[in-house]
Amino acid sequence: MHSHQPVPAKPWRDRVNSLGYIKGGMEVQADLLRQLLVQLPCDSKESLEWRSPDGKLFSAPCEDLCRRVLSAPGLAERSGGTQWQPSAYARQWLESMDNSFLAAHLHARVKFFGELLLAIGDQTKQADLLEVATETYGLNWTTVTPVRDRTMWLRSLGMIELWGQRVVRTKLGDALLEMLPLCPPESARGEGEEAAEPNSGEEEQLAFFSDYLQLEQVDLRNRRTLIGYIPRGNASESSDGESTLTPAAALRKLITLLGNGAGLEEFGELCGSEFGISKTSFTTMMHALRHTGLVEQTSFNHFSPSADAHRLVDEGNERLLAAYLHARYLFFGEILRHLAKPATTSALVAMAKETYGYTQASNGEVRLRLAFLQDAGLVERVDWQRFRVTAAGRSFAEHLTLQLPVEAEPEETHDALPSPVPANVIAHLRQYGNVGTDSREFEQAVARAFAFLGFQTEHLGGSGRTDVLGIAQLAMKDRYRIIVDAKSSGNGQVAESSVKFDALRDHKRKHKADHVIVVGPEFAPRLKNWAVENEVIMLRIEDLATLLDHHSRNPMPLTELRDAFSRIDTFSDDLAERYQALERRSLLMRRIIDLAFQEAVDEDPVDDGYISVENVIYALRKEFAPRPSRQEVDELISFLSSPVVAALESVKGRHKLIDSPRNLALRLAGLGSVVATE
């Protein structure tokens, strides 16, 4: 290794996590690698062949092997569209046959390679090395496999040996360790040096968008939820899957292609040529691009950059663009507040949902926001999973008005809508259902529970009588009755002897009931089988509580409950499916209102706030499975457009929001309050 130039180590965050395995033997990986490299260059469609020490022949497609094993640690690279060739370091190793040189190169490209050598002590096992990797270097490994992959390569290069379960460093490994530039653990954990402080001209630069920096909380809450699809060129061939362009560079290229304006068809052809996107992807891109406000429709099928678009996307103005996007999209600048310690994309998604009520947050949307912030030097990647704010990012955040967490927002002056959730009923069911004696309070709680479901209930109880009688007060042909037996149990399970099926049959006949239900904390196993044979529904307290919670948000008609009661053996599953369908309908209605609101506040002189059913279905296609049908959307739009609800105005198949979502919620609640209840 002394005869070669030192291998410069990449920053820890840019090194890869994985180190592939070549079939043929754990201790001969270097020899197998040599057999593969001498066959390169090679067309990606051809196959590579190699032999294990015992003579067994292996083969694999060049494309698969190079991408999966060789490209990530920098041992092979593309040369042209379909060719793979050895990297410069791989060729140098083939010439020198110096295993120390190859080990140094792997250390420069792979996390916890040379650092693993350092972690080897007198009685070190591979499990101990995993603990060092996770606890000391902050790697998110849950199995010993990544450690075994590294020890496998180090063994094949002569740097370590396995003595039983012990990992032992060789003299060659000791010599290598003295020469490697190792990453300090605190830097690997994201606690090392940060970016330099921002330059003094930043405040003057951001003053250009001062109106966007001083926002009210209501403006911040009403920002758009989805940035959407921004094409970034063909995916690179690297294992991390990064695109060829950063998002800021992609916007710059799109605005440049648009020039001073272009027709839709012409712009589509340019984007197809430059980015390799289909017509469908182009339509999706245009929807996202228009909502950024960087592109405007100036006439029929003709679009131009907005007045500030060129300045915003100019190279060097990435922070101006970040400030602009913060003013337009939820959970943008707020990300900087939550990266004082390194965090993953998934953790940020959870933060967006829980802290800011951004229910549509996804890994893809948050990754896109992080990429814009990275372009601006406000966020940096610690490793392939975690990000942290830079010093410049902390300073930048001080210029922004950030949305307050939901729980910290000032109280509204208007009265909140009443919550119909029967929390006290559920609490009493749980409290009195486990007292272990005949509990009148439990029976009364059960009666209130079924009254909440819409039945006219009467608490009877006593010897020879059912505990609760419920009547569905409907038209004569739809009317039906239920009887409910409430069984409390001190040990949490209703015993076999506690349920008298003969008595339940008598009660059913006496009260002319159609269905029989027993409510209790849990039931003995054989009771469940006997219940099916006797056409009795066994309903656990927790299942009833879930039913009440679902019903409070999406009430199920009594006729549908009757159908569910008829399915004794599949009652719980059938009920769950029915409530899922009701919840899906409510979520669809909410998203239609959201889309109509976004179109209404979008300053579009052509569409004037209208949105078509086709665009609604297109926008919802990735949010719901199965995709919403035309009939589903038409039914909900018809409901929202009715004079009673008065949420949408419909003209020639297009629809526009004509009232605030808040007023709509109040109107629907008001309609509910005037319906007579008992």
Side-chain angles (χ1 to χ4, degrees), residues 290-332:
R290 289 178 62 196
H291 284 152
T292 64
L294 298 173
V295 169
E296 300 173 342
Q297 185 171 0
T298 53
S299 62
F300 180 72
N301 278 348
H302 193 275
F303 296 86
S304 300
S306 65
D308 296 322
H310 286 290
R311 178 167 185 175
L312 281 168
V313 301
D314 275 351
E315 194 165 1
N317 285 353
E318 287 81 4
R319 292 182 189 175
L320 283 180
L321 180 61
Y324 174 80
L325 294 175
H326 167 70
R328 293 188 73 87
Y329 295 101
L330 282 171
F331 196 62
F332 200 96

mmCIF file of all heavy atoms in Angstrom, residues 290-332:
data_model
loop_
_atom_site.group_PDB
_atom_site.id
_atom_site.type_symbol
_atom_site.label_atom_id
_atom_site.label_comp_id
_atom_site.label_asym_id
_atom_site.label_seq_id
_atom_site.Cartn_x
_atom_site.Cartn_y
_atom_site.Cartn_z
ATOM 1 N N ARG A 290 -47.471 24.233 -11.563
ATOM 2 C CA ARG A 290 -48.366 25.387 -11.470
ATOM 3 C C ARG A 290 -48.630 25.766 -10.017
ATOM 4 O O ARG A 290 -48.723 26.946 -9.682
ATOM 5 C CB ARG A 290 -49.679 25.078 -12.186
ATOM 6 C CG ARG A 290 -49.560 25.014 -13.703
ATOM 7 C CD ARG A 290 -50.883 24.649 -14.321
ATOM 8 N NE ARG A 290 -51.900 25.648 -14.032
ATOM 9 C CZ ARG A 290 -53.207 25.442 -14.180
ATOM 10 N NH1 ARG A 290 -53.645 24.263 -14.590
ATOM 11 N NH2 ARG A 290 -54.066 26.399 -13.908
ATOM 12 N N HIS A 291 -48.750 24.757 -9.159
ATOM 13 C CA HIS A 291 -49.035 25.055 -7.765
ATOM 14 C C HIS A 291 -47.827 25.623 -7.021
ATOM 15 O O HIS A 291 -47.983 26.193 -5.940
ATOM 16 C CB HIS A 291 -49.570 23.806 -7.052
ATOM 17 C CG HIS A 291 -50.992 23.512 -7.389
ATOM 18 N ND1 HIS A 291 -51.525 22.237 -7.366
ATOM 19 C CD2 HIS A 291 -52.005 24.323 -7.799
ATOM 20 C CE1 HIS A 291 -52.792 22.288 -7.714
ATOM 21 N NE2 HIS A 291 -53.108 23.542 -7.988
ATOM 22 N N THR A 292 -46.637 25.469 -7.569
ATOM 23 C CA THR A 292 -45.496 26.152 -6.945
ATOM 24 C C THR A 292 -45.587 27.659 -7.136
ATOM 25 O O THR A 292 -44.930 28.415 -6.418
ATOM 26 C CB THR A 292 -44.156 25.676 -7.549
ATOM 27 O OG1 THR A 292 -44.109 26.036 -8.945
ATOM 28 C CG2 THR A 292 -43.965 24.182 -7.384
ATOM 29 N N GLY A 293 -46.387 28.099 -8.118
ATOM 30 C CA GLY A 293 -46.478 29.520 -8.419
ATOM 31 C C GLY A 293 -45.352 30.022 -9.296
ATOM 32 O O GLY A 293 -45.282 31.219 -9.598
ATOM 33 N N LEU A 294 -44.461 29.130 -9.714
ATOM 34 C CA LEU A 294 -43.345 29.531 -10.575
ATOM 35 C C LEU A 294 -43.761 29.570 -12.044
ATOM 36 O O LEU A 294 -43.067 30.161 -12.873
ATOM 37 C CB LEU A 294 -42.175 28.560 -10.397
ATOM 38 C CG LEU A 294 -41.564 28.503 -8.998
ATOM 39 C CD1 LEU A 294 -40.526 27.393 -8.912
ATOM 40 C CD2 LEU A 294 -40.953 29.839 -8.612
ATOM 41 N N VAL A 295 -44.884 28.913 -12.355
ATOM 42 C CA VAL A 295 -45.386 28.874 -13.728
ATOM 43 C C VAL A 295 -46.839 29.323 -13.720
ATOM 44 O O VAL A 295 -47.616 28.930 -12.839
ATOM 45 C CB VAL A 295 -45.262 27.447 -14.311
ATOM 46 C CG1 VAL A 295 -46.018 27.325 -15.626
ATOM 47 C CG2 VAL A 295 -43.798 27.095 -14.522
ATOM 48 N N GLU A 296 -47.209 30.147 -14.704
ATOM 49 C CA GLU A 296 -48.566 30.670 -14.801
ATOM 50 C C GLU A 296 -49.153 30.343 -16.167
ATOM 51 O O GLU A 296 -48.433 30.285 -17.171
ATOM 52 C CB GLU A 296 -48.574 32.188 -14.617
ATOM 53 C CG GLU A 296 -48.031 32.651 -13.274
ATOM 54 C CD GLU A 296 -47.890 34.156 -13.202
ATOM 55 O OE1 GLU A 296 -47.890 34.810 -14.281
ATOM 56 O OE2 GLU A 296 -47.776 34.678 -12.082
ATOM 57 N N GLN A 297 -50.469 30.133 -16.197
ATOM 58 C CA GLN A 297 -51.154 29.947 -17.467
ATOM 59 C C GLN A 297 -51.578 31.322 -17.976
ATOM 60 O O GLN A 297 -52.364 32.018 -17.334
ATOM 61 C CB GLN A 297 -52.376 29.042 -17.302
ATOM 62 C CG GLN A 297 -53.062 28.706 -18.610
ATOM 63 C CD GLN A 297 -54.123 27.637 -18.454
ATOM 64 O OE1 GLN A 297 -54.355 27.142 -17.349
ATOM 65 N NE2 GLN A 297 -54.781 27.265 -19.543
ATOM 66 N N THR A 298 -51.058 31.713 -19.118
ATOM 67 C CA THR A 298 -51.302 33.056 -19.645
ATOM 68 C C THR A 298 -52.400 33.084 -20.698
ATOM 69 O O THR A 298 -52.961 34.147 -20.975
ATOM 70 C CB THR A 298 -50.009 33.626 -20.240
ATOM 71 O OG1 THR A 298 -49.467 32.690 -21.182
ATOM 72 C CG2 THR A 298 -48.991 33.872 -19.127
ATOM 73 N N SER A 299 -52.671 31.950 -21.317
ATOM 74 C CA SER A 299 -53.782 31.829 -22.253
ATOM 75 C C SER A 299 -54.072 30.343 -22.412
ATOM 76 O O SER A 299 -53.438 29.503 -21.761
ATOM 77 C CB SER A 299 -53.430 32.458 -23.611
ATOM 78 O OG SER A 299 -52.323 31.800 -24.210
ATOM 79 N N PHE A 300 -55.006 30.011 -23.291
ATOM 80 C CA PHE A 300 -55.386 28.609 -23.443
ATOM 81 C C PHE A 300 -54.180 27.766 -23.860
ATOM 82 O O PHE A 300 -53.549 28.014 -24.889
ATOM 83 C CB PHE A 300 -56.496 28.472 -24.489
ATOM 84 C CG PHE A 300 -56.948 27.051 -24.692
ATOM 85 C CD1 PHE A 300 -57.697 26.404 -23.720
ATOM 86 C CD2 PHE A 300 -56.606 26.363 -25.845
ATOM 87 C CE1 PHE A 300 -58.111 25.093 -23.899
ATOM 88 C CE2 PHE A 300 -57.011 25.052 -26.032
ATOM 89 C CZ PHE A 300 -57.767 24.423 -25.051
ATOM 90 N N ASN A 301 -53.824 26.767 -23.007
ATOM 91 C CA ASN A 301 -52.718 25.846 -23.263
ATOM 92 C C ASN A 301 -51.382 26.548 -23.486
ATOM 93 O O ASN A 301 -50.510 26.027 -24.190
ATOM 94 C CB ASN A 301 -53.030 24.944 -24.465
ATOM 95 C CG ASN A 301 -53.905 23.757 -24.072
ATOM 96 O OD1 ASN A 301 -54.086 23.489 -22.888
ATOM 97 N ND2 ASN A 301 -54.449 23.059 -25.050
ATOM 98 N N HIS A 302 -51.207 27.704 -22.901
ATOM 99 C CA HIS A 302 -49.931 28.429 -23.021
ATOM 100 C C HIS A 302 -49.485 28.846 -21.623
ATOM 101 O O HIS A 302 -50.273 29.394 -20.840
ATOM 102 C CB HIS A 302 -50.077 29.665 -23.905
ATOM 103 C CG HIS A 302 -48.751 30.255 -24.305
ATOM 104 N ND1 HIS A 302 -48.064 31.138 -23.507
ATOM 105 C CD2 HIS A 302 -47.990 30.075 -25.416
ATOM 106 C CE1 HIS A 302 -46.939 31.485 -24.106
ATOM 107 N NE2 HIS A 302 -46.870 30.852 -25.274
ATOM 108 N N PHE A 303 -48.206 28.580 -21.297
ATOM 109 C CA PHE A 303 -47.703 28.826 -19.948
ATOM 110 C C PHE A 303 -46.398 29.616 -20.011
ATOM 111 O O PHE A 303 -45.621 29.491 -20.969
ATOM 112 C CB PHE A 303 -47.468 27.497 -19.221
ATOM 113 C CG PHE A 303 -48.733 26.711 -19.005
ATOM 114 C CD1 PHE A 303 -49.218 25.861 -19.991
ATOM 115 C CD2 PHE A 303 -49.438 26.835 -17.828
ATOM 116 C CE1 PHE A 303 -50.381 25.141 -19.810
ATOM 117 C CE2 PHE A 303 -50.609 26.116 -17.625
ATOM 118 C CZ PHE A 303 -51.081 25.274 -18.618
ATOM 119 N N SER A 304 -46.183 30.416 -18.951
ATOM 120 C CA SER A 304 -44.975 31.225 -18.864
ATOM 121 C C SER A 304 -44.467 31.215 -17.427
ATOM 122 O O SER A 304 -45.240 30.987 -16.487
ATOM 123 C CB SER A 304 -45.259 32.674 -19.283
ATOM 124 O OG SER A 304 -45.724 32.737 -20.606
ATOM 125 N N PRO A 305 -43.157 31.481 -17.225
ATOM 126 C CA PRO A 305 -42.648 31.631 -15.862
ATOM 127 C C PRO A 305 -43.281 32.844 -15.191
ATOM 128 O O PRO A 305 -43.594 33.839 -15.856
ATOM 129 C CB PRO A 305 -41.139 31.822 -16.063
ATOM 130 C CG PRO A 305 -40.851 31.279 -17.424
ATOM 131 C CD PRO A 305 -42.079 31.548 -18.233
ATOM 132 N N SER A 306 -43.471 32.772 -13.881
ATOM 133 C CA SER A 306 -43.988 33.926 -13.141
ATOM 134 C C SER A 306 -42.940 35.021 -13.097
ATOM 135 O O SER A 306 -41.782 34.817 -13.486
ATOM 136 C CB SER A 306 -44.373 33.502 -11.723
ATOM 137 O OG SER A 306 -43.218 33.094 -11.006
ATOM 138 N N ALA A 307 -43.328 36.188 -12.615
ATOM 139 C CA ALA A 307 -42.439 37.351 -12.625
ATOM 140 C C ALA A 307 -41.149 37.095 -11.854
ATOM 141 O O ALA A 307 -40.076 37.569 -12.244
ATOM 142 C CB ALA A 307 -43.171 38.563 -12.055
ATOM 143 N N ASP A 308 -41.245 36.329 -10.749
ATOM 144 C CA ASP A 308 -40.075 36.118 -9.895
ATOM 145 C C ASP A 308 -39.416 34.763 -10.123
ATOM 146 O O ASP A 308 -38.446 34.428 -9.434
ATOM 147 C CB ASP A 308 -40.474 36.231 -8.417
ATOM 148 C CG ASP A 308 -40.971 37.622 -8.068
ATOM 149 O OD1 ASP A 308 -40.403 38.596 -8.585
ATOM 150 O OD2 ASP A 308 -41.946 37.714 -7.285
ATOM 151 N N ALA A 309 -39.933 33.965 -11.057
ATOM 152 C CA ALA A 309 -39.469 32.584 -11.205
ATOM 153 C C ALA A 309 -37.980 32.495 -11.500
ATOM 154 O O ALA A 309 -37.253 31.729 -10.869
ATOM 155 C CB ALA A 309 -40.272 31.873 -12.293
ATOM 156 N N HIS A 310 -37.503 33.276 -12.471
ATOM 157 C CA HIS A 310 -36.097 33.174 -12.861
ATOM 158 C C HIS A 310 -35.171 33.523 -11.697
ATOM 159 O O HIS A 310 -34.158 32.860 -11.473
ATOM 160 C CB HIS A 310 -35.814 34.073 -14.062
ATOM 161 C CG HIS A 310 -36.363 33.534 -15.346
ATOM 162 N ND1 HIS A 310 -35.847 32.425 -15.973
ATOM 163 C CD2 HIS A 310 -37.420 33.944 -16.105
ATOM 164 C CE1 HIS A 310 -36.543 32.178 -17.080
ATOM 165 N NE2 HIS A 310 -37.500 33.078 -17.184
ATOM 166 N N ARG A 311 -35.525 34.575 -10.961
ATOM 167 C CA ARG A 311 -34.669 34.958 -9.835
ATOM 168 C C ARG A 311 -34.672 33.872 -8.765
ATOM 169 O O ARG A 311 -33.639 33.576 -8.164
ATOM 170 C CB ARG A 311 -35.145 36.285 -9.242
ATOM 171 C CG ARG A 311 -34.319 36.708 -8.036
ATOM 172 C CD ARG A 311 -34.559 38.125 -7.632
ATOM 173 N NE ARG A 311 -33.660 38.518 -6.554
ATOM 174 C CZ ARG A 311 -33.581 39.743 -6.058
ATOM 175 N NH1 ARG A 311 -34.332 40.710 -6.562
ATOM 176 N NH2 ARG A 311 -32.753 40.020 -5.071
ATOM 177 N N LEU A 312 -35.833 33.274 -8.524
ATOM 178 C CA LEU A 312 -35.932 32.258 -7.476
ATOM 179 C C LEU A 312 -35.101 31.016 -7.781
ATOM 180 O O LEU A 312 -34.530 30.412 -6.875
ATOM 181 C CB LEU A 312 -37.395 31.854 -7.281
ATOM 182 C CG LEU A 312 -38.253 32.808 -6.456
ATOM 183 C CD1 LEU A 312 -39.719 32.457 -6.592
ATOM 184 C CD2 LEU A 312 -37.842 32.772 -5.000
ATOM 185 N N VAL A 313 -35.054 30.623 -9.040
ATOM 186 C CA VAL A 313 -34.362 29.370 -9.366
ATOM 187 C C VAL A 313 -32.928 29.586 -9.816
ATOM 188 O O VAL A 313 -32.218 28.605 -10.082
ATOM 189 C CB VAL A 313 -35.129 28.586 -10.453
ATOM 190 C CG1 VAL A 313 -36.535 28.264 -9.989
ATOM 191 C CG2 VAL A 313 -35.155 29.352 -11.780
ATOM 192 N N ASP A 314 -32.478 30.849 -9.909
ATOM 193 C CA ASP A 314 -31.094 31.102 -10.307
ATOM 194 C C ASP A 314 -30.125 30.414 -9.353
ATOM 195 O O ASP A 314 -30.359 30.362 -8.138
ATOM 196 C CB ASP A 314 -30.804 32.607 -10.325
ATOM 197 C CG ASP A 314 -31.218 33.250 -11.637
ATOM 198 O OD1 ASP A 314 -31.555 32.502 -12.573
ATOM 199 O OD2 ASP A 314 -31.222 34.492 -11.713
ATOM 200 N N GLU A 315 -29.051 29.897 -9.887
ATOM 201 C CA GLU A 315 -28.024 29.268 -9.064
ATOM 202 C C GLU A 315 -27.466 30.278 -8.080
ATOM 203 O O GLU A 315 -27.144 31.414 -8.439
ATOM 204 C CB GLU A 315 -26.911 28.722 -9.952
ATOM 205 C CG GLU A 315 -25.981 27.769 -9.231
ATOM 206 C CD GLU A 315 -25.119 26.971 -10.189
ATOM 207 O OE1 GLU A 315 -25.231 27.176 -11.412
ATOM 208 O OE2 GLU A 315 -24.340 26.142 -9.695
ATOM 209 N N GLY A 316 -27.376 29.903 -6.827
ATOM 210 C CA GLY A 316 -26.928 30.806 -5.768
ATOM 211 C C GLY A 316 -28.066 31.389 -4.964
ATOM 212 O O GLY A 316 -27.849 31.964 -3.893
ATOM 213 N N ASN A 317 -29.302 31.250 -5.459
ATOM 214 C CA ASN A 317 -30.473 31.790 -4.753
ATOM 215 C C ASN A 317 -31.310 30.681 -4.113
ATOM 216 O O ASN A 317 -32.521 30.830 -3.932
ATOM 217 C CB ASN A 317 -31.350 32.591 -5.721
ATOM 218 C CG ASN A 317 -30.749 33.934 -6.052
ATOM 219 O OD1 ASN A 317 -29.744 34.344 -5.468
ATOM 220 N ND2 ASN A 317 -31.339 34.633 -7.005
ATOM 221 N N GLU A 318 -30.663 29.573 -3.750
ATOM 222 C CA GLU A 318 -31.397 28.437 -3.202
ATOM 223 C C GLU A 318 -32.104 28.779 -1.893
ATOM 224 O O GLU A 318 -33.159 28.222 -1.580
ATOM 225 C CB GLU A 318 -30.455 27.241 -2.989
ATOM 226 C CG GLU A 318 -30.007 26.548 -4.268
ATOM 227 C CD GLU A 318 -28.861 27.277 -4.958
ATOM 228 O OE1 GLU A 318 -28.370 28.285 -4.394
ATOM 229 O OE2 GLU A 318 -28.461 26.850 -6.064
ATOM 230 N N ARG A 319 -31.552 29.715 -1.127
ATOM 231 C CA ARG A 319 -32.212 30.074 0.139
ATOM 232 C C ARG A 319 -33.432 30.956 -0.110
ATOM 233 O O ARG A 319 -34.412 30.886 0.637
ATOM 234 C CB ARG A 319 -31.217 30.752 1.077
ATOM 235 C CG ARG A 319 -30.159 29.778 1.562
ATOM 236 C CD ARG A 319 -29.180 30.376 2.529
ATOM 237 N NE ARG A 319 -28.085 29.430 2.763
ATOM 238 C CZ ARG A 319 -27.013 29.690 3.484
ATOM 239 N NH1 ARG A 319 -26.854 30.885 4.043
ATOM 240 N NH2 ARG A 319 -26.075 28.766 3.641
ATOM 241 N N LEU A 320 -33.381 31.780 -1.151
ATOM 242 C CA LEU A 320 -34.580 32.520 -1.531
ATOM 243 C C LEU A 320 -35.690 31.543 -1.905
ATOM 244 O O LEU A 320 -36.847 31.711 -1.521
ATOM 245 C CB LEU A 320 -34.281 33.434 -2.722
ATOM 246 C CG LEU A 320 -33.510 34.730 -2.462
ATOM 247 C CD1 LEU A 320 -33.332 35.487 -3.762
ATOM 248 C CD2 LEU A 320 -34.227 35.591 -1.448
ATOM 249 N N LEU A 321 -35.324 30.523 -2.664
ATOM 250 C CA LEU A 321 -36.304 29.517 -3.067
ATOM 251 C C LEU A 321 -36.859 28.786 -1.851
ATOM 252 O O LEU A 321 -38.066 28.523 -1.771
ATOM 253 C CB LEU A 321 -35.650 28.522 -4.031
ATOM 254 C CG LEU A 321 -36.557 27.394 -4.548
ATOM 255 C CD1 LEU A 321 -37.743 27.961 -5.322
ATOM 256 C CD2 LEU A 321 -35.754 26.429 -5.431
ATOM 257 N N ALA A 322 -36.004 28.480 -0.888
ATOM 258 C CA ALA A 322 -36.466 27.798 0.329
ATOM 259 C C ALA A 322 -37.453 28.666 1.098
ATOM 260 O O ALA A 322 -38.478 28.175 1.599
ATOM 261 C CB ALA A 322 -35.273 27.430 1.210
ATOM 262 N N ALA A 323 -37.160 29.974 1.203
ATOM 263 C CA ALA A 323 -38.082 30.881 1.899
ATOM 264 C C ALA A 323 -39.423 30.950 1.173
ATOM 265 O O ALA A 323 -40.491 30.978 1.796
ATOM 266 C CB ALA A 323 -37.459 32.275 2.003
ATOM 267 N N TYR A 324 -39.361 30.971 -0.137
ATOM 268 C CA TYR A 324 -40.581 31.032 -0.953
ATOM 269 C C TYR A 324 -41.415 29.765 -0.773
ATOM 270 O O TYR A 324 -42.640 29.828 -0.582
ATOM 271 C CB TYR A 324 -40.178 31.214 -2.416
ATOM 272 C CG TYR A 324 -41.315 31.155 -3.393
ATOM 273 C CD1 TYR A 324 -42.142 32.249 -3.603
ATOM 274 C CD2 TYR A 324 -41.558 29.996 -4.129
ATOM 275 C CE1 TYR A 324 -43.186 32.191 -4.517
ATOM 276 C CE2 TYR A 324 -42.591 29.922 -5.043
ATOM 277 C CZ TYR A 324 -43.410 31.032 -5.235
ATOM 278 O OH TYR A 324 -44.437 30.974 -6.137
ATOM 279 N N LEU A 325 -40.757 28.613 -0.818
ATOM 280 C CA LEU A 325 -41.470 27.344 -0.671
ATOM 281 C C LEU A 325 -42.017 27.188 0.743
ATOM 282 O O LEU A 325 -43.085 26.585 0.939
ATOM 283 C CB LEU A 325 -40.551 26.176 -1.021
ATOM 284 C CG LEU A 325 -40.111 26.103 -2.489
ATOM 285 C CD1 LEU A 325 -39.098 24.983 -2.689
ATOM 286 C CD2 LEU A 325 -41.302 25.914 -3.414
ATOM 287 N N HIS A 326 -41.312 27.725 1.728
ATOM 288 C CA HIS A 326 -41.829 27.689 3.102
ATOM 289 C C HIS A 326 -43.163 28.417 3.193
ATOM 290 O O HIS A 326 -44.066 27.990 3.927
ATOM 291 C CB HIS A 326 -40.816 28.322 4.059
ATOM 292 C CG HIS A 326 -41.383 28.602 5.415
ATOM 293 N ND1 HIS A 326 -41.710 27.609 6.307
ATOM 294 C CD2 HIS A 326 -41.704 29.787 6.024
ATOM 295 C CE1 HIS A 326 -42.195 28.156 7.418
ATOM 296 N NE2 HIS A 326 -42.210 29.467 7.266
ATOM 297 N N ALA A 327 -43.299 29.502 2.456
ATOM 298 C CA ALA A 327 -44.535 30.277 2.504
ATOM 299 C C ALA A 327 -45.688 29.571 1.799
ATOM 300 O O ALA A 327 -46.855 29.899 2.039
ATOM 301 C CB ALA A 327 -44.313 31.653 1.871
ATOM 302 N N ARG A 328 -45.380 28.576 0.968
ATOM 303 C CA ARG A 328 -46.429 27.930 0.167
ATOM 304 C C ARG A 328 -46.794 26.524 0.645
ATOM 305 O O ARG A 328 -47.891 26.045 0.357
ATOM 306 C CB ARG A 328 -45.994 27.843 -1.302
ATOM 307 C CG ARG A 328 -45.882 29.190 -1.978
ATOM 308 C CD ARG A 328 -45.633 29.037 -3.465
ATOM 309 N NE ARG A 328 -46.806 28.581 -4.183
ATOM 310 C CZ ARG A 328 -47.753 29.391 -4.676
ATOM 311 N NH1 ARG A 328 -47.656 30.699 -4.494
ATOM 312 N NH2 ARG A 328 -48.782 28.893 -5.342
ATOM 313 N N TYR A 329 -45.874 25.854 1.368
ATOM 314 C CA TYR A 329 -46.097 24.442 1.683
ATOM 315 C C TYR A 329 -45.955 24.162 3.180
ATOM 316 O O TYR A 329 -45.035 24.667 3.834
ATOM 317 C CB TYR A 329 -45.123 23.559 0.891
ATOM 318 C CG TYR A 329 -45.350 23.620 -0.594
ATOM 319 C CD1 TYR A 329 -44.539 24.402 -1.405
ATOM 320 C CD2 TYR A 329 -46.403 22.918 -1.179
ATOM 321 C CE1 TYR A 329 -44.753 24.477 -2.772
ATOM 322 C CE2 TYR A 329 -46.629 22.986 -2.539
ATOM 323 C CZ TYR A 329 -45.803 23.762 -3.338
ATOM 324 O OH TYR A 329 -46.032 23.841 -4.687
ATOM 325 N N LEU A 330 -46.859 23.324 3.671
ATOM 326 C CA LEU A 330 -46.829 22.913 5.071
ATOM 327 C C LEU A 330 -45.525 22.201 5.419
ATOM 328 O O LEU A 330 -44.939 21.517 4.584
ATOM 329 C CB LEU A 330 -47.994 21.961 5.360
ATOM 330 C CG LEU A 330 -49.382 22.562 5.551
ATOM 331 C CD1 LEU A 330 -50.419 21.453 5.596
ATOM 332 C CD2 LEU A 330 -49.444 23.387 6.830
ATOM 333 N N PHE A 331 -45.109 22.376 6.674
ATOM 334 C CA PHE A 331 -43.967 21.646 7.239
ATOM 335 C C PHE A 331 -42.743 21.768 6.342
ATOM 336 O O PHE A 331 -42.172 20.789 5.909
ATOM 337 C CB PHE A 331 -44.332 20.174 7.459
ATOM 338 C CG PHE A 331 -43.362 19.464 8.380
ATOM 339 C CD1 PHE A 331 -43.199 19.877 9.683
ATOM 340 C CD2 PHE A 331 -42.641 18.366 7.942
ATOM 341 C CE1 PHE A 331 -42.317 19.213 10.537
ATOM 342 C CE2 PHE A 331 -41.755 17.701 8.775
ATOM 343 C CZ PHE A 331 -41.598 18.133 10.076
ATOM 344 N N PHE A 332 -42.339 23.008 6.076
ATOM 345 C CA PHE A 332 -41.139 23.229 5.268
ATOM 346 C C PHE A 332 -40.038 23.808 6.160
ATOM 347 O O PHE A 332 -39.155 23.081 6.597
ATOM 348 C CB PHE A 332 -41.442 24.152 4.084
ATOM 349 C CG PHE A 332 -40.426 24.045 2.994
ATOM 350 C CD1 PHE A 332 -40.653 23.213 1.918
ATOM 351 C CD2 PHE A 332 -39.231 24.740 3.041
ATOM 352 C CE1 PHE A 332 -39.706 23.078 0.901
ATOM 353 C CE2 PHE A 332 -38.282 24.629 2.048
ATOM 354 C CZ PHE A 332 -38.520 23.800 0.972
#
